[in-house]
Amino acid sequence: MKSFAIAAALVLGLSVSGQAAAADIEVVNPFMRAAPMTGGTGAAFLTIHNHGGADRLLAAEAGISKSVELHTHVKDGDIYRMRKVESLALPEHGTVELKPGGDHIMFIGLNAPVKEGAAVQLTLKFEKAGAVVVQVPVQAAGAMAPGAAMPGGMMHKH
Ligand SMILES: [Cu+2]
């Protein structure tokens, strides 16, 4: 069954799921923070399990904002600042965690407020695995971890 699932994912090129898998990429625990301002920014976080060879996350796309960037935090004196990065490396059979205070996906110029309880469709573009579509649940504005503010039964935990 497992080989069939992988073959199907390869044929489709992408799948729509909270734990999307294209080829060897598995995305789990996605969440986004509610963002109140049209024209403002928002951030999403998720964990990527790479079950194959080394790959790179090259870009993210979503219809909710003018642009979407890959960001990291860098230490500047005593302050951590966000900085755009061109890609995020995925080690062979490795896991990359995008989380508050570290790497994240940044939405710039929101078309509308992003409300808690909604879901945002996000397309991740990988160098080798191609496109992976993830449904990202929107949590409270200050959420630090997936599921922390989600209603019961809506979590995708593994
Ligand atoms: Cu950022």
Side-chain angles (χ1 to χ4, degrees), residues 8-10 19 24 34 38-39 51 61 66 72 74 76 91 94 98 100 102 115 124 126 130 134 144 146-147 153:
L10 286 170
Q19 311 93 43
D24 295 320
T38 298
H51 300 293
E61 295 176 356
K66 289 188 172 56
T72 191
V74 290
D76 179 6
L98 282 66
K115 296 200 171 77
L124 302 175
F126 295 92
V134 184
M144 292 297 289

Side-chain angles (χ1 to χ4, degrees), residues 71 82 104 106:
H71 275 195
M82 293 194 298
H104 56 278
M106 196 88 196

Side-chain angles (χ1 to χ4, degrees), residues 41-43 45 69-73 81-84 102-108:
T41 60
F45 312 93
E69 296 182 351
L70 304 176
H71 275 195
T72 191
H73 275 88
R81 296 181 190 281
M82 293 194 298
R83 183 164 296 169
K84 183 182 176 182
D103 298 335
H104 56 278
I105 292 162
M106 196 88 196
F107 304 91
I108 296 168

Side-chain angles (χ1 to χ4, degrees), residues 6-130:
I6 290 169
L10 286 170
V11 168
L12 292 171
L14 54 83
S15 69
V16 178
S17 162
Q19 311 93 43
D24 295 320
I25 297 293
E26 180 187 10
V27 178
V28 298
N29 294 337
F31 72 104
M32 178 174 178
R33 289 169 165 174
M37 281 175 44
T38 298
T41 60
F45 312 93
L46 44 82
T47 297
I48 303 166
H49 296 304
N50 178 18
H51 300 293
D55 203 344
R56 299 188 78 81
L57 175 60
L58 299 178
E61 295 176 356
I64 62 164
S65 61
K66 289 188 172 56
S67 64
V68 185
E69 296 182 351
L70 304 176
H71 275 195
T72 191
H73 275 88
V74 290
K75 199 162 190 229
D76 179 6
D78 290 332
I79 302 168
Y80 282 92
R81 296 181 190 281
M82 293 194 298
R83 183 164 296 169
K84 183 182 176 182
V85 293
E86 293 307 315
S87 65
L88 290 174
L90 296 174
E92 182 178 4
H93 292 287
T95 293
V96 172
E97 190 179 358
L98 282 66
K99 59 186 176 186
D103 298 335
H104 56 278
I105 292 162
M106 196 88 196
F107 304 91
I108 296 168
L110 292 171
N111 298 325
V114 178
K115 296 200 171 77
E116 184 177 353
V120 169
Q121 181 167 305
L122 180 69
T123 302
L124 302 175
K125 299 282 184 73
F126 295 92
E127 185 175 65
K128 298 198 175 79

